[in-house]
Amino acid sequence: MLKFTNKMRTFAQKLMSDCEKGATAIEYGLIAALISVAAIAAMTTLGKSLSTMFTAVSTELLDAVSSI
């Protein structure tokens, strides 16, 4: 009976440690997803302002070249 109790205790401890590892993996996955969303939002905003800036520079260069 003692062997059975020890095996059940070992099984329960292993099961609990596996659950904690799974929860940690899910937490890391959620953090990675949040960072990805923030990076995409930042790049989208930056991309729009860069596009506006390059359009303005291109227009100025075209105006400068056409006035020569």
Side-chain angles (χ1 to χ4, degrees), residues 4-49:
F4 177 74
T5 306
N6 286 338
K7 285 185 180 184
M8 289 301 292
R9 182 178 299 137
T10 304
F11 175 73
Q13 288 173 344
K14 183 178 178 185
L15 185 63
M16 294 304 270
S17 70
D18 287 345
C19 287
E20 290 176 9
K21 289 178 185 175
T24 302
I26 290 171
E27 290 168 356
Y28 281 131
L30 289 172
I31 291 169
L34 181 62
I35 290 171
S36 298
V37 168
I40 290 169
M43 288 179 204
T44 301
T45 303
L46 183 62
K48 288 179 183 176
S49 57

Side-chain angles (χ1 to χ4, degrees), residues 43-57:
M43 288 179 204
T44 301
T45 303
L46 183 62
K48 288 179 183 176
S49 57
L50 280 177
S51 176
T52 303
M53 184 181 69
F54 281 122
T55 302
V57 170

